[in-house]
Amino acid sequence: MPNFLPPTGPQRTLSLAQLSNSVGDGAYYVTSALYFTHVVGLAPARIGLGLTVAWAVGSVVGVPLGRLADRRGPRGTAVLLALATGAAVASFLVVRDFAPFLAAACLYATAQSGLAAARQALLAGLVTQEERTGALAHLQSTLNAGLAVGAALGGFALSAGTTTAFLTVFAVDAASFLICALVLLRLPSVAAVPGDRGAKLSVLRDRPYAVITLLNTVLLLRMPLLSLGLPLWITERTEAPEWVVSALFVLNTGAVMLFQVRTARSVNGISTAARALRRSGALMLLTCAVFALSAADSPWIAVTALAAGSVLLVAAEMLHSAGSWQLSFDLAPTGRTGEYQGFFGTGVTVARTLGPLLLTALLVGWGTAGWLLLGVTVLAASYALGPAARWAAGTRQEPAPAPVVAQGV
């Protein structure tokens, strides 16, 4: 059990906050598409347009919200953004037209993006630099556990198929963010960074960090690969049964929950982070090659290749997560963690927004050639991150001090 639980104190409290809202998110992810079509009454094309616009807005606003967390204090900012996210989810319960849906979706995406940056700034202020990657590994494991529980709850709603069941899921999601806010209030208050140190939103002028964020976005294409690319590939190009999609999701979620913390132990600085990212890229190339083999006519060969590729994929994912966490924190200047994490987090939004279009064209359209091109591209980006990180480190003039924690609550 000690291997799975984070240390007592701020790390465990942060994990509890993560668990509370990830349960709600898991239920939301499973049921949202059908809820917006069957209950809200929107056409799928309008849902896609609205969510794309919302996440585009959220990715842009996430950077200034991260800066706000630095300047006003990350704990209070995180609490307010958790409440705003809960309010956005609650508003989905009453919207029945596109315009209010778009407004609610924009609030949801903006608050979620800002909350992620504020919580990263909060973690940076409460956990020593040497412990951050391990703490993030625990948070990732907790996230996967919560998503799995939430997905199961969402599955019950899907099985029922009633409006009441869907409304209950969204109410649970809204309540989960209220609980998250209450848990975050139990943490010590981290001192805000006073004054205006440097130019506003200086991260936008930090070219090395921008390059690292861009390269990391390429590696983040693994996210829509699991949720969209593989399901489409399995149903359109393989002889594997459709239930394999669910089995691979369970495999990925369970493996991250069990092994992410252990994987992150080998990453403790920029050089080890770069090494982990190179290994992740190499594994992704091998992953893509194995997945391509699943196009064989035999269902047994297809299932075997998909299972083997999924094991390689989750190993690459855990190495990528550990390496990218380390770089994103170590290369953020002192006092600007929230701002820089807000910018780094835009890579997730870009990957989720553009990734589905890219992966659909590559995998479903090009087949084996598309898989190999994807693998080579990710490998090249992973190897480029090392020189980019050394470039960024050379522009930093001062080491990060020990975190400052204000007294009181």
Side-chain angles (χ1 to χ4, degrees):
M1 186 65 71
N3 291 330
F4 299 102
L5 290 178
T8 56
Q11 288 194 44
R12 187 166 297 184
T13 304
L14 284 167
S15 293
L16 287 173
Q18 179 78 287
L19 179 64
S20 64
N21 73 254
S22 62
V23 170
D25 278 343
Y28 171 87
Y29 294 150
V30 169
T31 60
S32 59
L34 290 180
Y35 175 82
F36 292 138
T37 54
H38 294 175
V39 178
V40 179
L42 297 176
R46 304 199 85 184
I47 296 171
L49 173 63
L51 293 178
T52 298
V53 171
W55 283 109
V57 171
S59 66
V60 172
V61 180
V63 179
L65 286 176
R67 178 178 171 82
L68 179 67
D70 293 329
R71 295 294 171 259
R72 300 297 182 185
R75 190 192 67 170
T77 305
V79 169
L80 290 176
L81 289 171
L83 293 174
T85 307
V89 175
S91 68
F92 285 134
L93 295 170
V94 296
V95 300
R96 294 294 181 270
D97 200 2
F98 180 73
F101 162 75
L102 179 61
C106 287
L107 174 60
Y108 176 80
T110 297
Q112 280 273 47
S113 298
L115 176 60
R119 286 205 291 202
Q120 299 290 62
L122 185 57
L123 181 143
L126 295 173
V127 179
T128 64
Q129 186 173 3
E130 293 76 16
E131 296 177 319
R132 285 176 194 166
T133 298
L136 285 163
H138 278 294
L139 289 175
Q140 186 71 11
S141 297
T142 303
L143 171 66
N144 276 264
L147 290 176
V149 173
L153 295 175
F156 288 121
L158 291 176
S159 298
T162 64
T163 298
T164 300
F166 284 117
L167 292 173
T168 301
V169 166
F170 272 70
V172 168
D173 191 15
S176 74
F177 282 96
L178 174 59
I179 296 171
C180 173
L182 295 174
V183 173
L184 289 172
L185 281 173
R186 296 172 53 190
L187 290 165
S189 176
V190 175
V193 179
D196 189 4
R197 299 179 52 181
K200 291 184 177 180
L201 297 181
S202 62
V203 67
L204 300 180
R205 307 181 186 186
D206 192 333
R207 286 182 292 176
Y209 201 87
V211 169
I212 289 170
T213 301
L214 176 61
L215 292 171
N216 186 63
T217 302
V218 176
L219 272 64
L220 285 169
L221 289 174
R222 60 171 175 76
M223 300 176 69
L225 177 62
L226 183 65
S227 61
L228 179 69
L230 269 178
L232 287 176
W233 170 261
I234 290 170
T235 56
E236 298 289 332
R237 288 294 199 114
T238 79
E239 297 296 325
E242 293 185 358
W243 58 260
V244 171
V245 173
S246 176
L248 297 184
F249 180 82
V250 172
L251 170 64
N252 181 276
T253 303
V256 172
M257 185 172 61
L258 294 174
F259 300 113
Q260 181 68 77
V261 175
R262 184 180 303 176
T263 303
R265 288 174 185 161
S266 62
V267 179
N268 52 27
I270 292 177
S271 61
T272 54
R275 185 184 309 124
L277 291 167
R278 289 194 298 270
R279 291 171 59 196
S280 173
L283 283 173
M284 273 301 298
L285 176 58
L286 183 57
T287 297
C288 292
V290 172
F291 277 144
L293 296 176
S294 65
D297 291 336
S298 168
W300 289 106
I301 294 177
V303 172
T304 301
L306 289 168
S310 296
V311 171
L312 294 170
L313 175 62
V314 74
E317 174 185 340
M318 291 187 291
L319 286 168
H320 169 227
S321 295
S324 62
W325 294 333
Q326 190 77 37
L327 292 186
S328 68
F329 274 100
D330 283 5
L331 297 174
T334 304
R336 292 190 177 275
T337 302
E339 177 184 335
Y340 271 65
Q341 287 297 316
F343 182 74
F344 196 76
T346 60
V348 175
T349 305
V350 172
R352 283 177 171 167
T353 303
L354 301 182
L357 298 175
L358 178 62
L359 292 179
T360 300
L362 281 178
L363 306 184
V364 179
W366 290 20
T368 298
W371 276 113
L372 295 179
L373 179 58
L374 174 63
V376 169
T377 302
V378 172
L379 177 66
S382 69
Y383 269 75
L385 273 165
R390 291 192 291 273
W391 175 29
T395 65
R396 302 327 189 226
Q397 298 179 349
E398 56 179 343
V404 179
V405 181
Q407 299 298 317
V409 293

